[in-house]
Amino acid sequence: MAEILEIIMIVSFGASWPLNVIKSYKARTAKGKSIAFLLLIFFGYIAGIASKFVNPAYMAAFSEKWYVLFFYVLNFIMVGADIVMYIRNKKLDKEAAKNENN
């Protein structure tokens, strides 16, 4: 039951990331985004993934519970993609500001 609740939590958090990445891509600006927030979430997923690998009970049952780790990794990738979009958009913001000054 604990794993099911954990998956519900991870899926709930993760459902918004693809939409957020698409929004970041289309917006072409980093305004309103916080890199500190994104990095904190990214670090949290690293800790969640690491917790699975250091948990002997989880690792002993990995063949039956691999899907829990899958959702952590999927969310980690989505947050990573949003960080990449932030970096891209920050560069676009700088270019736009430079063009405004010329």
Side-chain angles (χ1 to χ4, degrees), residues 40-74:
L40 187 61
I41 298 296
F42 196 71
F43 177 74
Y45 281 120
I46 290 171
I49 291 165
S51 77
K52 295 300 176 196
F53 286 115
V54 299
N55 181 335
Y58 177 80
M59 292 308 292
F62 183 76
S63 64
E64 298 169 7
K65 298 179 182 181
W66 60 268
Y67 53 87
V68 177
L69 185 62
F70 171 81
F71 287 108
Y72 274 98
V73 172
L74 184 61

Side-chain angles (χ1 to χ4, degrees), residues 19-37:
L19 299 174
N20 203 34
V21 171
I22 292 167
K23 182 179 174 185
S24 293
Y25 179 77
K26 289 180 179 180
R28 300 181 64 83
T29 183
K31 294 176 183 170
K33 297 286 273 191
S34 168
I35 191 66
F37 174 77

Side-chain angles (χ1 to χ4, degrees), residues 24-26 28 84-92:
S24 293
Y25 179 77
K26 289 180 179 180
R28 300 181 64 83
V84 169
M85 286 296 101
Y86 176 88
I87 293 166
R88 179 201 79 153
N89 290 345
K90 197 71 171 170
K91 288 179 183 177
L92 292 174

